Amino acid sequence: MSQQFWTRTQDRIAELVIESPPVNALDSVGWRDLARCIDTLQADPELRVIVIRAEGRGFCAGVDIKELQRHPERITEVNAGNWDTFRAIHRGLKPVIAAAHGYVLGGGIGICGSSDIVLCSEDATFGVPEVDRGALGAGAHLQRMFPLQKVRHMYFTGEPIDAAEAWRLGAIEKVVPAAALRDEAMAIAAKIAAKSSTMIRLAKESLNGIEDGDLEQKYRWEQGFTAQAYMTAESQETRDAFVQKRAADFSQGEA
């Protein structure tokens, strides 16, 4: 079991909990481990539903920027771990419920955007600060939740939106007090777990099949641009500035 998350099972429900202080950002090994864990849960015949939530200040801050600042060559491994995690959630035939609190950033967006049902606490915020970190990604998953122009505004400005606005836009199922988030998610999971596993499996496969476009293919397209971005000096400068807690300096010009 990874030190960045843990699982437990009860009443045919798997609970996967991200717990990687201080901000629940997973490194390249953590994302690979997370994908393998979700695949294992999806393959377990005793389980019916998966709930993904987190402990700590927020749901998930995405990738470990400090790791990539030190080792930019690991971007391909991080990309692979992200893609595999989101694929395991979306393509696996057990429903996945994301119960998000606090900040939902980067890979946290990918988890929510891959899931079947998303609940949020009242303090939740969704954001994609990728362009300010020298990267791209999760736009395909964000657009699975939010309208196209809202996605572009969030992407280009880096400005987050809160849970109330996300609910107004139809991106999430419910907003609840933080103290009730886990109970609400488990209650929905219990309703699903009580139904025919065959019918639920067929329902998810059929619903995936009628979606507009191929989510994994669209995300793979994005990841090519992330790799391209990481080859630029500007991308390295954004990561250096983030780690050093200063404003990025592009005075030397951009490619």
Side-chain angles (χ1 to χ4, degrees):
M1 180 61 65
S2 171
Q3 295 181 348
Q4 299 176 65
F5 60 88
W6 50 272
T7 64
R8 63 184 168 200
T9 62
Q10 184 177 1
D11 299 328
R12 297 177 295 184
I13 300 168
E15 189 175 4
L16 190 161
V17 183
I18 300 169
E19 190 168 11
S20 181
V23 296
N24 285 342
L26 305 185
D27 61 21
S28 53
V29 173
W31 282 107
R32 282 290 202 181
D33 287 345
L34 190 61
R36 281 191 285 266
C37 178
I38 295 169
D39 275 333
T40 298
L41 297 175
Q42 288 280 10
D44 188 335
E46 299 300 316
L47 298 175
R48 300 289 182 84
V49 188
I50 301 168
V51 172
I52 301 178
R53 64 177 188 87
E55 295 287 348
R57 291 159 49 190
F59 179 65
C60 180
V63 304
D64 185 346
I65 298 297
K66 292 182 179 180
E67 178 191 27
L68 291 175
Q69 187 257 357
R70 296 189 303 269
H71 302 284
E73 73 281 1
R74 292 184 186 174
I75 184 58
T76 54
E77 184 65 17
V78 171
N79 272 356
N82 282 162
W83 189 92
D84 235 11
T85 296
F86 308 152
R87 182 271 312 155
I89 294 170
H90 180 239
R91 289 296 176 186
L93 295 183
K94 291 181 173 66
V96 178
I97 300 170
H101 76 284
Y103 44 77
V104 184
L105 303 171
I109 294 283
I111 291 172
C112 288
S114 303
S115 295
D116 300 284
I117 299 170
V118 182
L119 308 180
C120 289
S121 60
E122 294 167 332
D123 67 346
T125 59
F126 293 83
V128 277
E130 268 74 356
V131 295
D132 293 326
R133 305 288 184 265
L136 299 170
H141 300 91
L142 196 69
Q143 198 159 296
R144 192 170 182 248
M145 300 174 68
F146 296 100
L148 185 148
Q149 290 195 351
K150 174 58 72 175
V151 170
R152 294 189 180 214
H153 183 272
M154 293 172 69
Y155 222 110
F156 296 155
T157 67
E159 295 177 4
I161 65 171
D162 62 21
E165 177 69 356
W167 182 83
R168 186 187 73 82
L169 292 168
I172 58 179
E173 172 63 24
K174 187 181 293 187
V175 180
V176 301
L181 182 61
R182 178 183 180 275
D183 288 345
E184 288 282 347
M186 297 301 284
I188 294 174
K191 289 181 181 179
I192 298 170
K195 297 183 183 299
S196 160
S197 61
T198 299
M199 293 307 301
I200 294 298
R201 183 179 69 251
L202 291 173
K204 180 163 181 179
E205 186 172 8
S206 67
L207 290 170
N208 280 355
I210 62 172
E211 286 185 359
D212 182 17
D214 186 315
L215 179 63
E216 285 70 38
Q217 185 178 40
K218 288 188 286 187
Y219 182 54
R220 183 65 85 194
W221 165 267
E222 287 187 81
Q223 287 189 317
F225 289 94
T226 295
Q228 182 178 337
Y230 264 73
M231 297 177 187
T232 67
E234 290 78 18
S235 179
Q236 185 65 49
E237 168 60 14
T238 58
R239 293 189 296 282
D240 290 344
F242 175 77
V243 171
Q244 296 166 16
K245 302 184 185 304
R246 61 174 173 80
D249 180 7
F250 301 118
S251 61
Q252 298 305 309
E254 299 184 5

